[in-house]
């Protein structure tokens, strides 16, 4: 499936202003989600996996004890695209923070 183009720095800045739980740059956008313990963090990752499959777009995940450290980047585009913003919004809907 063709991937959308990378966002420009200005587009990314505007997008991030609407995603206050996220920070980032051209390399990716990042957010952490802290759960109440390791099993809940694993369960959260499974919920996230189903959303990622629905979108056919997948986060980079670093699971440390009860915290998911998420990075969204469109690997095939070599940077952040609209797909990462879509996924970020879905993640925020699951985990409002
Ligand atoms: C074939 C499939 O659509 C691609 O490999 C998708 C899957 N998920 C993906 N996820 C992310 N984050 N970047 C990609 O480039 C990507 N490519």
């Amino acid at each position: 499936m063709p991937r959308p183009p990378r966002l420009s720095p200005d587009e990314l800045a505007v997008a991030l202003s609407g995603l206050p739980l996220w920070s980032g740059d051209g390399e990716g956008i990042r957010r952490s989600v802290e759960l109440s313990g390791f099993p809940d963090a694993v369960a959260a990752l499974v919920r996230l996996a189903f959303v990622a499959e629905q979108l056919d777009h997948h986060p980079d995940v670093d699971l440390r004890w009860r915290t998911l450290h998420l990075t969204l980047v469109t690997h095939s585009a070599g940077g952040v695209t609209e797909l990462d913003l879509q996924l970020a919004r879905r993640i925020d809907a699951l985990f409002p923070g």
Side-chain angles (χ1 to χ4, degrees), residues 56-88:
D56 188 29
H57 197 63
H58 303 86
D60 295 350
V61 183
D62 181 10
L63 171 56
R64 305 277 168 132
W65 179 30
R66 60 180 183 166
T67 303
L68 303 172
H69 300 277
L70 306 172
T71 301
L72 308 185
V73 60
T74 303
H75 295 286
S76 57
V80 179
T81 71
E82 186 58 41
L83 293 174
D84 300 300
L85 305 181
Q86 269 181 36
L87 181 55

Side-chain angles (χ1 to χ4, degrees), residues 8-95:
S8 70
D10 283 354
E11 289 169 331
L12 181 57
V14 170
L16 284 174
S17 70
L19 290 167
L21 298 173
W22 296 82
S23 61
D25 51 35
E27 305 291 303
I29 60 174
R30 295 170 203 90
R31 183 196 157 178
S32 296
V33 180
E34 185 178 313
L35 288 303
S36 59
F38 185 70
D40 280 348
V42 173
L45 180 54
V46 171
R47 295 174 70 196
L48 181 47
F50 283 101
V51 170
E53 281 296 287
Q54 255 181 23
L55 297 179
D56 188 29
H57 197 63
H58 303 86
D60 295 350
V61 183
D62 181 10
L63 171 56
R64 305 277 168 132
W65 179 30
R66 60 180 183 166
T67 303
L68 303 172
H69 300 277
L70 306 172
T71 301
L72 308 185
V73 60
T74 303
H75 295 286
S76 57
V80 179
T81 71
E82 186 58 41
L83 293 174
D84 300 300
L85 305 181
Q86 269 181 36
L87 181 55
R89 292 185 200 107
R90 293 288 300 271
I91 291 169
D92 286 353
L94 274 183
F95 309 110

